[in-house]
Amino acid sequence: MEEKKIDINSIIGFVLIFVILAYMLWQNQPTPEELEAQQKAKQEQVEKEKSDQTVQQEKNTTATIADYTADAADSLQVNALKNKLGAFAFSGLNAKEGQTKVESDLLNLIFDNKGGYLSEVKLKKFVNYDSVPIYLIKDNNASFNINFGTTDSRILNTNDLYFKPTVTKNGDETIVSMKLEVSETQFLEYRYAVKDNDYMIGFTVRSQGLNNIINGSQPIILDWKLKGYRHAKSISYENRYTDIHYDYEDGKDDYMGSRDDEETVNDVSWIGYKQHFFSSALLTDTQFKRVTLKAENQVQDEEVDTVYTKNFESTIPLVLQAGEINQSMDWYYGPSDYELLKKYDRNLDELVPLGWGIFGWINRYVFIPLFSFLSGFLPYGIAIVVMTILVKILLSFVQYKQFLSQAKLKILKPELDEIREKYKNNKMKAQQETMALQSKAGASPMAGCIPALIQLPVFYALFQFFPSAFDLRQKSFLWVTDLSSYDTVATLPFHIPFYGDHVSLFPILASIAIFFYMRLTTGQNMNAQPQQEGMPDMAKMMKYMMYFSPIMMLFFFNNYASGLSLYYFISNVISIGIILVIKNYILDEDKIHAQIQENKKKPKKQNRFQKKMAEMMEQAEKQKQMQNKTKK
């Protein structure tokens, strides 16, 4: 085996490498200044790390203190809510302030989390007299509250509590659920169902799992309040048709009138706060057993620029079902339009005051269908004129009978005066002879009264129809901008009591027409009346009425609907024309006189009433003669 030897070249190479490395290390060693700088930088780094650790420790400490403080505050809040609300403290912690907005084709609605009720209702298709959108609820003018007791001796009001909102969409229906929660499975819920193209909103108040929380031994009171906003130009006129209507005892209806009042009603199906042309109504599927209604007037007079018309309030005790609240209802927020309300088939059309008895019947089955037909193809003002003409033509035969009776009495007047003069000392005998002559001639005063009475239901029905006709609202005609309100041709710089601060032209025209009409008819009546004691006073009274009636019309209708004044103007002009035609072209006094003479010759058969009256007068006459003999 060959022996290994030391390689001198390798040793020399390693030594050289070592020498070179040593030289490089010596050459690159830091100077004393660099060593000092490095030492300083190292010290600053250590101090910085210490500072960062201190800051972090302080932050951690602050966070810990804040967390502790928040926990303590939450604990205090929870305790305060539990002390105040008891089981409903859960709702106070989980529900927050806020609003839920829902829009349909007809309504803009805002639901408030506090109280769970509607805080705003806007009717999208209508504006008021000043072109401002119609709001039935806005700026806290309404409230809806349920007051109830709990089993832990608390009294709560829902309008002070926060509801949790949920909105779901189902086709054309939007469901708004407002829940006042005790837990996720225990709550009091207001459930609203809003449909497109419908002013009726489904509404249910129900509770779940609260049978051991709500105290059934204490009354549960639903309280609904609303201040009606002014919507019309004349607040006094609007206020005259603003009141509370209600339906009770399965179909009966009534209203409180425009005065301040308070009533208690049983078995109520709906309550309507009517503001002339707009209404807010609460309807129930299960009748309210007992309701207290209250209305308070907010209008002092026409001169005061008042925001509200009336303050309405309903107090309704609710009945628990198996310890739970479960009341299915509906809200109606919309126009007081007869045709629209009638479609709901819930007697809501009674919100429109068409008159009682025969007056309402005439409006429902004659004037409303007739006007709806005419206004379907004619402007509303022209429709009023045409309807007035048709009514006057229909009643023209009645007016003819009335004028004919007056003409007969006028012809008989000389003979009647002779009878009264002949028996001036025996009024009973004079009355008997007068009645006998009138009966034979067929000229009884009652023949003129009966036609006038026939016209009264028609006139009164129309008097109710025009102020209630929603279709006339904001419809123009000639110089009139709104047939449902007064027209203005001049504004006065002052206010006249009972008249106002403006001049309406249609009432002036109607008053002039009434004056000439009364001049014709009153003159005819005065000429037909026989002379008798006290007659001059009667003539004066009739003469005064001829001037007083037009003046009363002028003042009374200056603030009324111009559509009604238009009707009276056209009606009286037509009446004047009918009278002139009857007087000049139809009635012939000579023929009437000849007919009377023929009638007087014929034996007149008395009816039962006439016989009874004749017998009573004969008995009275005999008694008077006996008394005179006794005195002698």
Side-chain angles (χ1 to χ4, degrees):
M1 178 179 287
E2 186 178 356
E3 185 178 342
K4 289 185 178 181
K5 295 180 180 180
I6 299 174
D7 187 358
I8 296 300
N9 294 330
S10 297
I11 294 173
I12 293 171
F14 280 121
V15 170
L16 288 174
I17 291 171
F18 175 77
V19 171
I20 292 170
L21 289 173
Y23 176 78
M24 290 179 65
L25 289 172
W26 177 79
Q27 188 69 27
N28 293 322
Q29 66 180 341
T31 63
E33 291 81 4
E34 290 177 339
L35 290 172
E36 184 178 354
Q38 290 177 1
Q39 185 67 25
K40 186 177 181 181
K42 186 176 181 180
Q43 186 176 356
E44 288 178 354
Q45 181 66 27
V46 171
E47 290 178 356
K48 184 176 181 301
E49 290 176 354
K50 288 182 178 180
S51 177
D52 290 344
Q53 290 176 357
T54 302
V55 171
Q56 186 61 40
Q57 289 175 354
E58 290 177 352
K59 287 183 177 179
N60 292 339
T61 303
T62 303
T64 302
I65 293 172
D67 290 343
Y68 177 80
T69 304
D71 291 342
D74 287 344
S75 178
L76 290 173
Q77 183 184 11
V78 170
N79 290 333
L81 285 171
K82 284 184 177 180
N83 289 333
K84 182 180 180 180
L85 305 179
F88 288 94
F90 180 87
S91 179
L93 292 172
N94 289 277
K96 299 178 181 179
E97 290 187 2
Q99 295 178 330
T100 300
K101 297 182 180 180
V102 174
E103 183 175 354
S104 71
D105 295 336
L106 304 175
L107 302 170
N108 277 347
L109 307 172
I110 296 180
F111 302 85
D112 203 319
N113 289 1
K114 187 176 183 181
Y117 177 58
L118 283 160
S119 60
E120 187 170 297
V121 175
K122 174 186 174 182
L123 305 184
K124 296 171 66 174
K125 293 189 174 182
F126 305 103
V127 294
N128 68 7
Y129 70 101
D130 207 19
S131 299
V132 175
I134 294 291
Y135 287 91
L136 296 183
I137 299 178
K138 186 178 174 65
D139 297 332
N140 299 315
N141 74 313
S143 68
F144 182 86
N145 177 60
I146 296 180
N147 175 279
F148 63 95
T150 62
T151 52
D152 54 359
S153 302
R154 289 177 173 81
I155 301 296
L156 300 179
N157 292 287
T158 57
N159 58 6
D160 295 330
L161 306 177
Y162 289 93
F163 287 67
K164 183 178 179 181
T166 304
V167 180
T168 56
K169 187 76 174 177
N170 183 16
D172 66 345
E173 185 177 56
T174 302
I175 305 298
V176 180
S177 173
M178 308 292 288
K179 288 185 178 179
L180 180 63
E181 295 181 323
V182 171
S183 68
E184 292 184 356
T185 58
Q186 296 174 287
F187 51 81
L188 175 66
E189 180 187 28
Y190 293 170
R191 190 177 187 274
Y192 302 86
V194 183
K195 294 183 179 180
D196 286 338
N197 291 310
D198 199 346
Y199 291 103
M200 191 75 73
I201 302 172
F203 179 56
T204 301
V205 177
R206 72 181 187 97
S207 65
Q208 178 176 300
L210 302 186
N211 55 333
N212 293 325
I213 296 175
I214 297 178
N215 189 348
S217 64
Q218 294 180 341
I220 302 169
I221 304 298
L222 187 159
D223 191 36
W224 175 37
K225 299 178 181 179
L226 184 140
K227 278 187 177 181
Y229 280 118
R230 171 187 182 177
H231 300 308
K233 190 159 51 173
S234 172
I235 191 169
S236 297
Y237 179 66
E238 180 181 15
N239 205 34
R240 188 177 294 117
Y241 297 96
T242 298
D243 53 17
I244 298 180
H245 288 237
Y246 53 89
D247 183 272
Y248 66 107
E249 294 181 2
D250 296 321
K252 295 181 181 178
D253 60 88
D254 207 343
Y255 62 97
M256 293 178 63
S258 59
R259 64 191 184 282
D260 291 356
D261 200 1
E262 183 173 344
E263 293 182 10
T264 299
V265 189
N266 297 327
D267 300 326
V268 176
S269 299
W270 56 257
I271 304 160
Y273 297 163
K274 179 176 177 294
Q275 300 166 238
H276 195 187
F277 284 126
F278 300 95
S279 295
S280 305
L282 177 62
L283 304 89
T284 177
D285 293 342
T286 304
Q287 291 179 341
F288 299 131
K289 295 298 180 185
R290 190 175 180 84
V291 177
T292 300
L293 305 171
K294 185 177 180 181
E296 183 180 2
N297 188 30
Q298 302 293 302
V299 180
Q300 296 180 11
D301 54 59
E302 190 76 24
E303 294 184 75
V304 179
D305 187 15
T306 309
V307 177
Y308 302 105
T309 53
K310 282 188 175 64
N311 186 24
F312 300 120
E313 182 176 353
S314 298
T315 303
I316 308 166
L318 298 180
V319 179
L320 292 178
Q321 300 178 22
E324 302 280 5
I325 298 175
N326 190 2
Q327 191 79 36
S328 179
M329 296 174 280
D330 295 284
W331 289 109
Y332 176 83
Y333 293 106
S336 303
D337 184 345
Y338 175 81
E339 296 291 351
L340 173 64
L341 294 170
K342 188 179 179 181
K343 290 178 181 177
Y344 289 108
D345 196 25
R346 299 180 71 171
N347 212 30
L348 268 180
D349 52 284
E350 292 296 339
L351 280 168
V352 182
L354 299 176
W356 54 272
I358 189 174
F359 312 114
W361 186 92
I362 293 173
N363 276 325
R364 284 182 177 84
Y365 301 107
V366 179
F367 292 134
I368 289 179
L370 176 60
F371 187 75
S372 296
F373 170 73
L374 294 173
S375 60
F377 60 91
L378 294 173
Y380 286 91
I382 300 298
I384 292 175
V385 173
V386 173
M387 188 173 78
T388 306
I389 294 172
L390 293 176
V391 170
K392 295 306 294 183
I393 291 174
L394 182 66
L395 294 177
S396 60
F397 79 97
V398 177
Q399 199 163 8
Y400 170 76
K401 289 288 185 181
Q402 186 177 6
F403 203 81
L404 177 62
S405 176
Q406 293 172 359
K408 288 182 178 180
L409 290 173
K410 179 184 176 183
I411 293 169
L412 286 176
K413 184 175 178 296
E415 295 181 57
L416 294 173
D417 289 342
E418 289 179 7
I419 292 173
R420 283 171 173 75
E421 179 64 26
K422 182 177 179 180
Y423 300 103
K424 60 181 179 180
N425 296 325
N426 191 340
K427 292 182 179 180
M428 188 69 69
K429 184 65 176 177
Q431 189 66 24
Q432 285 180 318
E433 294 297 325
T434 298
M435 290 180 62
L437 177 60
Q438 290 173 345
S439 178
K440 287 182 179 180
S444 172
M446 292 299 295
C449 294
I450 293 175
L453 292 175
I454 293 175
Q455 296 181 74
L456 283 179
V458 176
F459 293 154
Y460 183 78
L462 287 167
F463 182 79
Q464 291 290 104
F465 169 78
F466 284 104
S468 302
F470 185 85
D471 288 341
L472 293 179
R473 185 177 181 272
Q474 297 182 345
K475 299 301 190 301
S476 60
F477 178 65
L478 298 178
W479 61 86
V480 178
T481 57
D482 186 352
L483 285 167
S484 71
S485 185
Y486 59 80
D487 66 288
T488 304
V489 293
T491 301
L492 303 175
F494 47 84
H495 188 277
I496 301 175
F498 304 107
Y499 186 76
D501 58 358
H502 63 277
V503 177
S504 297
L505 183 54
F506 269 132
I508 294 175
L509 295 175
S511 298
I512 294 171
I514 286 175
F515 171 76
F516 284 105
Y517 172 73
M518 292 195 69
R519 187 171 182 178
L520 283 173
T521 56
T522 302
Q524 180 79 0
N525 286 333
M526 291 175 64
N527 291 332
Q529 294 294 329
Q531 293 291 333
Q532 58 183 26
E533 293 182 14
M535 186 57 202
D537 293 335
M538 178 63 71
K540 286 182 180 179
M541 187 176 72
M542 295 178 72
K543 189 176 181 180
Y544 290 150
M545 283 297 297
M546 186 170 62
Y547 294 99
F548 177 73
S549 295
I551 294 173
M552 186 178 67
M553 170 77 186
L554 184 65
F555 274 79
F556 187 73
F557 284 90
N558 195 59
N559 290 302
Y560 254 69
S562 54
L564 183 61
S565 301
L566 170 62
Y567 163 76
Y568 278 117
F569 168 61
I570 300 298
S571 176
N572 282 284
V573 168
I574 294 172
S575 293
I576 291 171
I578 290 173
I579 289 175
L580 291 176
V581 169
I582 292 172
K583 182 178 181 181
N584 296 318
Y585 299 101
I586 297 177
L587 290 184
D588 187 332
E589 291 190 2
D590 292 335
K591 288 183 178 180
I592 293 173
H593 184 268
Q595 183 64 44
I596 289 175
Q597 299 307 317
E598 289 294 324
N599 290 340
K600 287 164 62 176
K601 296 176 182 178
K602 298 176 183 178
K604 183 72 174 178
K605 185 178 180 181
Q606 293 181 324
N607 57 36
R608 188 176 300 178
F609 174 77
Q610 290 173 329
K611 287 181 179 179
K612 188 68 176 176
M613 286 294 296
E615 289 174 0
M616 290 174 62
M617 294 179 73
E618 287 178 1
Q619 290 178 359
E621 179 65 20
K622 289 180 180 179
Q623 289 178 358
K624 186 176 180 180
Q625 291 176 358
M626 291 291 294
Q627 289 175 356
N628 292 334
K629 289 181 180 179
T630 304
K631 288 179 181 180
K632 292 178 180 179

